[in-house]
Amino acid sequence: MTDLDLIAAHVRRARRHPDTLATELSAAVELIAGRPFADVDWPWATVEGLATDAAALACDVACVLGDWHLDHDDPAGALRAARYGMRAAPESEQLARLRMRAYHQRGEPDQLRAVMDDLRAAADHPGPDSDDQLHPDTTALYRRLTSPAASVR
């Protein structure tokens, strides 16, 4: 049984028993050790899409857990979940949005801006037009959270 199988088992248990969601998904994200299949020379994992699917699952699990933490006024828990997910996919905008919302909830606008700055710097063509390279949800969330009317949840 692989870590991927174990993560999927935790997700299945969380779906069957929603009252265990935080416990099951916490156990799942703790299994994320890095980019899937990065430490082995198995080209088929990339060709078959298994590495991409595993990274997407890690991001999804981390985001669901992070959302749970934000819903329970625990932005530190949300940031912890995001850090685990970033082990598998550090470039994930989905995880960046989770981090921005957590920093907003903590009242840390400089950290929120730093997340966006990192995304802009990682863009194919960094600069004033780099926002065009980001997902529209990312730029919309950033604008909403940094607007003068935005207040901490």
Side-chain angles (χ1 to χ4, degrees):
M1 184 170 271
T2 67
D3 286 350
L4 187 55
D5 294 324
L6 294 171
I7 291 169
H10 283 295
V11 170
R12 283 191 301 275
R13 282 193 295 274
R15 285 184 179 146
R16 278 196 309 267
H17 307 286
D19 57 315
T20 67
L21 183 134
T23 302
E24 290 293 343
L25 296 189
S26 292
V29 298
E30 288 174 8
L31 294 168
I32 301 169
R35 286 188 180 274
F37 302 99
D39 59 343
V40 293
D41 186 23
W42 294 343
W44 59 267
T46 301
V47 172
E48 296 291 324
L50 190 56
T52 301
D53 291 348
L57 176 62
C59 287
D60 290 345
V61 169
C63 284
V64 170
L65 179 60
D67 287 342
W68 184 91
H69 281 292
L70 289 177
D71 290 345
H72 289 85
D73 296 319
D74 180 15
L79 290 168
R80 194 170 41 256
R83 279 193 299 276
Y84 277 113
M86 289 174 61
R87 291 177 177 180
E91 72 287 348
S92 168
E93 284 189 50
Q94 183 182 6
L95 292 168
R97 289 190 297 270
L98 172 61
R99 292 170 57 217
M100 283 193 271
R101 290 184 296 121
Y103 285 128
H104 177 72
Q105 196 175 80
R106 283 172 60 150
E108 296 181 16
D110 291 342
Q111 293 297 324
L112 188 160
R113 286 184 190 90
V115 172
M116 190 64 162
D117 290 346
D118 289 346
L119 288 173
R120 289 173 173 151
D124 289 335
H125 305 287
D129 297 328
S130 61
D131 285 7
D132 294 342
Q133 299 170 53
L134 300 175
H135 193 282
D137 290 350
T138 302
T139 53
L141 176 66
Y142 180 75
R143 279 193 299 273
R144 183 173 60 82
L145 296 180
T146 58
S147 75
S151 64
V152 177
R153 181 182 107 116

